[in-house]
Each structure stands twice: as structure tokens, then as C-alpha cells.
Amino acid sequence: MQSTNLKRIESIDILRGLVMIIMALDHTRDFFHNDAMVHDSLSLATTTPVLFFTRWITHFCAPVFVFLSGISASLSSRRKTKKEASRFLIKRGVWLIFVEIFIVTLGLTFNPFYSVIFLQVIWVIGLGMIFLGILMRFSSRGVILITGLILVFGHNLLDYASIPQKELVTELINIFFTAKFFVVTYSTQHAIIFLYAILPWAGLMMLGYGLSGWFINYLPEERKKKLLIAGLCVTAWFILLRLINQYGNPIPYSHQKSLFYTILSFINVEKYPPSLQYTCMTIGPALLLLSYFEHSKNVVVSFVKVYGRVPFFYYVLHFYILHTLLVITFYLQGYGSNDIVPKSSPFFFRPDNSGFSLEIVYVIWISAVLLLYFPCRWYSRYKKANKQKWWLHYL
């Protein structure tokens, strides 16, 4: 049965708010944990169970955020003509790339010289919107969905390919398909770090756009069933692929010193770039949560939803909140001006030997999330009361 309801889909806001809260934990760990710049928290040789899961749970954030951005891009186009929607997505995509380079990078590093520019999730969402804006002018939602499926399911074929050893070709393949902290230097003191490969993430956004028909054409009860079935199937597909241990992740799981660590190896899949198994592991439960949140109403949900209504505002602001807290702790610990620029970290005010225990990291994370609640609630209400202001649609 078709739904013509143009109200916000609350389950999307709830899930997005949840992943935004969890996402801040990972960035808090980067800024404040004494081990963050020393060891890989997912390395089974050096990690602890608590540290592993502190990092692993945040694996769900970026793919869910990108996937929901695809759904939201479609939902926001319902009142527009195809031409208007296309133009809006392209312009917003360009704006997001600008924000990633100049605003998010500054909040992340506090380096006014932009010695290092990080291209992360906002970068690929921006490019994804540009791709969507172009594709939707000439193709249907179904074609976009198929394109997304090809990119998500097929990019791990490169694990078996021989990459040409030509500088330009190698760089383009890295940027578009295989980026894993791929560094491009453009002067002796400046570099760009590509953390997120363009096409696998854009493909995931296209999947969200393609599946948005469930949120447009079906009533909540019907949509709830479809999301439940899809979530179970995608999660089962992850388990099957992982058990087969042949395709969908560059590193197969292996038996470890104990059953518990073998399970950790089983769920330790590749984010950079997002492997097929990683995508299934994260999007499967996301679909299940979208189904569960369809009728959820309680105090916790209302709290989480505040962040999900203003994800872009929250995302940008949380870097500045966390880095400001880092500056405060920097001076409270007795560091001085000679310590502002570290030798091995790109984050100003984070000396190489600084940091706190994981327990303190959790306290700082919870404090930052609570601190962000009131500006997010204010901005959500401001947006709702000023829908006629065009520039708010870009924030």
C-alpha cells in the first residue's frame, strides 16, 4: 500500500542519532586515549577485549551514516522536480566537500596552516550526492540501486587484481577504490590523506537511495516487515561469506588462541576500504534496528532522536567540542607552547606521550555527548521554526 505521508521518518532519526553518539566515542579515543597513537586497537596481538569492542562498535557509524544519507537524499527530493532535486544534491555535495576540507579538518587538527587535510565520511557523502544528482537526471531509482549493488558487491574483485605500477593509475585506483590512509603530498609541508575510497562508499549511498522506496511507498507496518526480512538476510549473508572465507574481505578470519579471540577475528573485517563483509556486518543490523525503531517511543529514544535530527550540525560541532576539551586538558597537565605541535600526531595539542586510561576516555565521551545535547536541541527547533530559510537545507 502506498504512503503519501511526507512527515519525517522517526526511525531514521533515531538510528542516525544512535550512530552519531557512538561515533563520538571513536574520536574521543583518538584524542584522549594513551594508546590510540601507539597500537592498532583491533590488532589481536596487542588489544584487550574492552579496547577491541570500543573500536569495533564504532565500525557501524560511517556505513550507517552514509546509507541513511542516501535514503534522506531521496526523501528530501519528494517535493521537488527531478531537475530541482538533481541541482540541489549537486550543490549540497560541493558544499559538503568544502566543509570537509576547511571546517572539519580544522576542527580535527586545530592546525591553521592545514598541513594535513583529511578526507573522510563527509567527503564521500558529498561526492555521493554529486553522483546521485547526476544519475537521477538520467535514470530511475532502480538503476541507481543496481549501480550501488555492483559497486558494493564487486569492488572486492580488486583484491585479486594486479594493480598497474604507474603512478597516476595507482593513485586514481587508491582514491576511487582502495584508499586506506592513502597520502598525496602536494608540497614539502602539506598533504592530503584519503581515508575513504570514493566508489565503495558512494555505492553504499546509492543502495540507501535505491531502497528509499520502502519509506515512500509503504506504510509503517509493511515497511517494518520488509526491513526485518532484509536485515536478517544481509546479516546471514555476512555470516555465510565469513564462514566461506574466500571473498568479500581481503583478510580471512583465522583460529586464535581461544574461542573468544577467534570470534574477534571473525568480526574483524576491513573498513578501509569497506569490504563487502564489513558492509553486510554493519548494514544488516542497521536494517533490523530501523525495523525495531518503527514504533519505538520512550525517554531514551526521544533523547537519541535529538542528535539524529541535526546530524551535520552535530558532526561538525563535536570535533570542536572534543578538541577544545583536549586543549583544556593539555594545559591542565602542564604542557606549554613547545608541546602544541607533536612529532608524530596530526592533532595539535596532543603530545605524543599524552593521554588517559580508557575509563577516562569514556567519561570524556559521555560528557561531550551531554554537552552537545542542548545546542542540538536548540538547532533542531530553530530549523523546524524556520523551514522557509533556504540556507538551512544545506546544514
Side-chain angles (χ1 to χ4, degrees), residues 73-100:
S74 176
L75 297 180
S76 68
S77 302
R78 287 176 292 177
R79 292 187 178 92
K80 301 180 178 72
T81 66
K82 183 174 285 191
K83 184 177 180 180
E84 290 170 340
S86 173
R87 187 187 302 119
F88 172 76
L89 287 178
I90 292 172
K91 288 193 295 185
R92 191 158 196 264
V94 172
W95 161 243
L96 290 179
I97 294 171
F98 173 87
V99 169
E100 180 79 281

Side-chain angles (χ1 to χ4, degrees), residues 260-296:
F260 181 77
Y261 273 81
T262 300
I263 294 172
L264 296 190
S265 175
F266 189 87
I267 62 175
N268 187 16
V269 284
E270 187 62 53
K271 178 182 179 181
Y272 304 103
S275 69
L276 173 59
Q277 292 181 20
Y278 168 87
T279 302
C280 292
M281 182 188 76
T282 53
I283 297 302
L287 293 169
L288 294 175
L289 286 173
L290 281 173
S291 175
Y292 175 76
F293 289 143
E294 194 66 61
H295 298 295
S296 295

Side-chain angles (χ1 to χ4, degrees), residues 311-327:
F312 180 67
F313 178 82
Y314 172 96
Y315 182 83
V316 173
L317 189 58
H318 96 284
F319 280 117
Y320 286 87
I321 293 289
L322 287 173
H323 216 137
T324 299
L325 292 175
L326 182 64
V327 173

Side-chain angles (χ1 to χ4, degrees), residues 28-33 37 105-113 319-356 364:
T28 306
R29 185 185 60 82
D30 286 336
F31 282 138
F32 294 99
H33 190 215
M37 299 297 163
T105 290
L106 182 61
L108 184 61
T109 65
F110 269 24
N111 181 346
F113 308 107
F319 280 117
Y320 286 87
I321 293 289
L322 287 173
H323 216 137
T324 299
L325 292 175
L326 182 64
V327 173
I328 293 171
T329 60
F330 173 88
Y331 286 110
L332 287 177
Q333 292 177 92
Y335 291 108
S337 57
N338 292 334
D339 305 303
I340 291 175
V341 182
K343 294 180 180 179
S344 60
S345 169
F347 310 138
F348 279 23
F349 300 97
R350 198 204 193 286
D352 298 325
N353 60 344
S354 67
F356 302 96
I364 296 172

Side-chain angles (χ1 to χ4, degrees), residues 218-271:
Y218 294 97
L219 295 172
E221 282 301 327
E222 297 171 286
R223 180 168 65 238
K224 183 181 177 72
K225 293 177 183 178
K226 288 182 176 296
L227 289 168
L228 176 62
I229 294 171
L232 290 172
C233 290
V234 174
T235 303
W237 185 240
F238 158 69
I239 295 172
L240 180 62
L241 282 174
R242 203 65 175 143
L243 287 172
I244 294 173
N245 227 14
Q246 294 295 320
Y247 180 77
N249 201 72
I251 301 175
Y253 87 93
S254 59
H255 291 282
Q256 303 293 315
K257 59 186 177 183
S258 68
L259 175 60
F260 181 77
Y261 273 81
T262 300
I263 294 172
L264 296 190
S265 175
F266 189 87
I267 62 175
N268 187 16
V269 284
E270 187 62 53
K271 178 182 179 181

Side-chain angles (χ1 to χ4, degrees), residues 1 15 23 33 39 49-50 64 101 113 121 145 159 195 225 232 240 242 250 284 300 321 338 351 354 362 366 383 394:
M1 183 182 297
L15 179 58
M23 173 203 64
H33 190 215
H39 296 113
V50 174
V64 175
I101 293 172
F113 308 107
V121 68
L145 175 62
D159 295 341
L195 277 77
K225 293 177 183 178
L232 290 172
L240 180 62
R242 203 65 175 143
V300 175
I321 293 289
N338 292 334
S354 67
Y362 271 84
I366 293 170
K383 283 188 69 174
Y394 292 87

